[in-house]
Amino acid sequence: LEEVGIERLSFGNRENNTPGTGDGDYDTPGTGAYQMHASCAVVFTHVVNGWARELKSYRPPVNSRDVHLLSNGVCLTFSRQLTITGAELRNPQYKGEGGNGYLFVFQSNDSLITQSSAINGRHNYSFSLPWCSGNVLHRSAAKDSRLPVDFHQKLSMANLLDNVTVDGDSLEGKLRSCCDHGHGTTQSVFWNTNGL
């Protein structure tokens, strides 16, 4: 797909009340974690020159807890030259292992997320896999995450975090010897970082 976009969209998932939301429960049939595992609210896959403006998650009124999303938020996969601007995502229900609770996921190249915020995710922003290069996270905020904004696995090269504000969060690029993830990045830059 080329030149497709989403604008001024709010979305919220109804919470899952099935028991079993421990870190490793994503791989156990019948648990809530298994049902929510790897879900993503918005996915761009095989898209070139696409965009999203003013995406916001919200808590549906039927939710008894402050849950906006079941697991992941906006996922950019196998795509390039995407622009996400003015997005605000928060409060995934399942933040367990296996890639859950990530609010923004870069698995694309030459894409931009700008003037956006991610609040209370497992990883608020994550860069992942070797084709994830040339991306920019710009003038955005990361607040109150379980784990850092990270270069997650298998050498995502030459990405830029420019003017990112962290509050109850952190930025990380390191060797992740667990789970066969390996080196997270090389030639990436943290620039004008603001820590609250």
Side-chain angles (χ1 to χ4, degrees), residues 55-91:
L55 301 180
K56 298 204 187 302
S57 67
Y58 74 97
R59 173 187 177 178
V62 297
N63 289 356
S64 62
R65 295 166 285 178
D66 192 15
V67 168
H68 288 209
L69 305 166
L70 291 176
S71 180
N72 300 314
V74 174
C75 302
L76 312 178
T77 63
F78 302 112
S79 297
R80 69 180 190 274
Q81 297 167 322
L82 303 176
T83 299
I84 311 299
T85 185
E88 181 181 302
L89 305 181
R90 63 176 67 212
N91 300 347

Side-chain angles (χ1 to χ4, degrees), residues 19-20 24 29 44 49 51 65-66 83 98 146:
F44 283 87
N49 300 323
W51 73 91
R65 295 166 285 178
D66 192 15
T83 299
R146 181 173 172 191

Side-chain angles (χ1 to χ4, degrees), residues 15-121:
E15 66 189 343
N16 184 311
N17 293 314
T18 305
T21 56
D23 267 347
D25 287 341
Y26 71 94
D27 205 20
T28 305
T31 63
Y34 186 85
Q35 294 168 358
M36 294 182 276
H37 173 59
S39 64
C40 202
V42 175
V43 180
F44 283 87
T45 186
H46 299 286
V47 176
V48 179
N49 300 323
W51 73 91
R53 295 186 186 109
E54 298 177 35
L55 301 180
K56 298 204 187 302
S57 67
Y58 74 97
R59 173 187 177 178
V62 297
N63 289 356
S64 62
R65 295 166 285 178
D66 192 15
V67 168
H68 288 209
L69 305 166
L70 291 176
S71 180
N72 300 314
V74 174
C75 302
L76 312 178
T77 63
F78 302 112
S79 297
R80 69 180 190 274
Q81 297 167 322
L82 303 176
T83 299
I84 311 299
T85 185
E88 181 181 302
L89 305 181
R90 63 176 67 212
N91 300 347
Q93 179 177 350
Y94 186 52
K95 296 186 260 188
E97 295 172 357
N100 291 286
Y102 299 11
L103 293 175
F104 292 91
V105 179
F106 282 103
Q107 293 179 345
S108 60
N109 62 342
D110 300 321
S111 294
L112 168 69
I113 295 176
T114 186
Q115 299 174 11
S116 296
S117 62
I119 302 164
N120 197 28

